[in-house]
Amino acid sequence: LRAKTYKADVYSPLHVDQAIYLTERGLLSRYASPERASIPEHLKDRDGYWTTLYRAGHVYPYNTRLVGPRDVPRSYQDFLEPKWKGRILMDAGEELWYALVLEILGKEKGMLFMQALARQNPQFQESKTLMMQLLCAGEVALAFPVNFNQANEAIKKGCPTAWVAIEPQTQQPPFTIVMAPNAPHPSAAKVFIDFMLSKDGQKFMQENIFRQSSRIDVEPSGDLAKLKDIRVWKSDWNTFFRNRDQYREGYKQTFSLP
């Protein structure tokens, strides 16, 4: 972009923070696809620069050899039970999850929860893949937050795990689709974006790469049907990314991370 060399028509998938960054610097072309009418307001910007292509929700996997059906955590407070001390594995880079839980519980109650969770002496890893491997091996009883796709794939491979979702479900920042600045083929770019956001395009993507559709009229199918009735937390992504450094420092300080 800085070299003013434009070869791409569309950028996708872009994390929403990347889309916001480029939009604020005038480095995207505006295209408000008519398919955006079926995308919820919190999953697109007001001016038509970025639109969510797909989403990925967090779940809470547990090792079924170590955690019986009656012991499965069903709420955030359940993670604070004494039996989980030293048996929890968390993602060291999840200031997003930290921020969303503070939103859900309210800042004061959320901070009390996080401080109590820190006293559970959780272990930390920087890779969700490694987190799932350690969980499958029985090194820990619980691992979170993990993306549904990773937890589901581990189960399909024979890992002795199951997962639970805590409502409202927190999610990764959405993955977006945008039109490149000075796109060499703007008409083709618009057609492609329209298709990817269309009902048929979203169904194809959901059934073939197993990502949650961003449309309100496309119900989860296949393995994703397990998420059908789970209520999702709706966050203001612009606000989150403006305060990301603050959340990152808060997460590190609360859990004594380097």
Side-chain angles (χ1 to χ4, degrees):
L1 292 175
R2 290 178 179 176
K4 298 187 183 302
T5 301
Y6 305 104
K7 296 183 178 180
D9 294 309
V10 173
Y11 300 145
S12 185
L14 282 186
H15 272 109
V16 67
D17 56 331
Q18 297 171 316
I20 291 171
Y21 178 90
L22 294 173
T23 298
E24 290 176 344
R25 286 155 182 78
L27 297 175
L28 296 178
S29 291
R30 180 180 181 275
Y31 175 55
S33 168
E35 300 295 341
R36 281 167 51 97
S38 295
I39 309 293
E41 294 300 319
H42 71 287
L43 296 178
K44 60 188 177 186
D45 72 319
R46 294 180 180 178
D47 300 317
Y49 286 98
W50 60 266
T51 310
T52 295
L53 181 63
Y54 60 78
R55 303 171 291 128
H58 292 143
V59 295
Y60 297 77
Y62 56 92
N63 186 299
T64 54
R65 293 175 180 167
L66 302 176
V67 181
R70 294 184 179 180
D71 294 325
V72 175
R74 303 292 179 182
S75 70
Y76 292 116
Q77 291 303 313
D78 289 347
F79 294 124
L80 306 183
E81 294 180 5
K83 63 188 172 187
W84 303 126
K85 191 164 188 175
R87 304 177 69 199
I88 296 173
L89 181 62
M90 294 176 61
D91 189 327
E94 268 292 359
E95 69 271 8
L96 165 66
W97 173 82
Y98 169 86
L100 294 179
V101 174
L102 292 185
E103 284 186 5
I104 291 168
L105 298 180
K107 187 174 182 180
E108 184 176 349
K109 290 182 179 179
M111 282 306 306
L112 289 174
F113 165 74
M114 291 296 177
Q115 291 163 1
L117 183 60
R119 292 193 291 272
Q120 292 286 64
N121 298 330
Q123 303 173 45
F124 285 87
Q125 287 290 340
E126 295 183 352
S127 164
K128 293 189 189 297
T129 299
L130 182 55
M131 287 172 65
M132 287 306 302
Q133 291 173 350
L134 292 170
L135 182 68
C136 293
E139 296 294 322
V140 292
L142 309 173
F144 61 81
V146 173
N147 302 331
F148 166 78
N149 292 333
Q150 292 164 309
N152 191 59
E153 188 63 26
I155 294 171
K156 292 168 71 173
K157 290 180 178 179
C159 171
T161 64
W163 57 266
V164 63
I166 295 177
E167 295 186 75
Q169 184 191 39
T170 59
Q171 298 204 326
Q172 273 195 309
F175 294 84
T176 68
I177 187 167
V178 304
M179 187 169 172
N182 298 307
H185 312 95
S187 296
K190 293 176 181 178
V191 170
F192 179 74
I193 292 172
D194 288 347
F195 172 74
M196 293 303 293
L197 295 177
S198 71
K199 198 169 184 177
D200 287 342
Q202 291 276 297
K203 284 182 177 179
F204 177 84
M205 180 183 62
Q206 187 166 264
E207 292 168 2
N208 289 275
I209 65 172
F210 313 111
R211 297 295 187 270
Q212 290 173 263
S213 170
S214 60
R215 291 180 64 102
I216 60 175
D217 56 356
V218 175
E219 291 192 351
S221 58
D223 288 344
L224 289 168
K226 300 170 186 176
L227 301 174
K228 180 179 178 181
D229 297 319
I230 294 175
R231 184 165 55 95
V232 174
W233 181 254
K234 298 176 182 179
S235 188
D236 180 348
W237 297 109
N238 281 284
T239 298
F240 168 75
F241 287 110
R242 280 198 297 270
N243 297 295
R244 186 167 192 169
D245 289 344
Q246 175 186 336
Y247 292 131
R248 183 182 293 114
E249 288 306 310
Y251 189 55
K252 289 182 177 180
Q253 182 175 356
T254 301
F255 292 98
S256 302
L257 296 170

